[in-house]
Amino acid sequence: MTRTGEFTFESASTPQWEAEVRARLAACVHRFSGPLSDLIARDANEGDTRMLVADFLSEGLNYSKYGELTTEYRTSGESIDYGILLGDQVFAFVEVKQCGQELDHRSLRPAKSQADKDGVEWVLLTNGRRWQMHHIGAGETSGSGLVFDVDLLDAEEAQETLDLLFHLSREAVEDGRLDDLRRWREALVAEQLADALLADTVVEAIRVEVRRRTEHAGHLGDADDIVRTLREDVIARGLLG
């Protein structure tokens, strides 16, 4: 097990490149916490916040400040602060807000509109402290919405912050990890979970467990009874949890 500051992660079964990215990112989060706290304390403007974000994207997430962060979409009006390039394609837009500003749907609207127009699938919305990754979709493919939302200064959620931010690193994006996380989020919507709950393998596992609990080994149980109860009582009436 590797430990970096308050972060820990398994390394024995982790690919070497991933262990290196996680260690780099953990060190960067720790290093940036002081300057970020200073920005917040003095209610720094958006320009100062933008500089910190660019440095974090470069040093922590490994996007070249001069080769992979473009400001070509920045204008005097509503704008995109950065476009993140992978190869010759824009992978994501970055919208930076002042460090003291709360992030909400209004903060996302200009970047989302530009992403829809240009066919860019992802938008990163941040005020330096909170980092939100939104999947917008492309063309006629609808987006998944908010994929993760982390707070760099939340000590209690430090490990989860590292685990989620890892997916935004250049190496993880190129390895398909961000898309894997997006698909996992999509699979957790209520309709998908309800469908999974009615799968044959799940119903069979429930049947075996019910038999164990009732100790009626002589009665095999009826899968149709389980499906009907799940569909009509548990799912329809929202009895889970």
Side-chain angles (χ1 to χ4, degrees), residues 42-59:
R42 64 181 175 85
D43 195 23
N45 60 35
E46 188 173 305
D48 290 345
T49 306
R50 190 183 300 127
M51 287 192 291
L52 180 139
V53 168
D55 286 342
F56 190 85
L57 285 168
S58 177
E59 297 178 30

Side-chain angles (χ1 to χ4, degrees), residues 16 105 107 137 157 165 173 181 183 188 195 200 228 232:
Q16 181 64 28
H105 67 280
S107 305
E157 301 295 335
L165 272 179
V173 170
L181 179 61
R183 286 191 289 269
L188 294 182
D195 187 58
D200 291 344
R228 182 169 54 254
E232 297 178 1

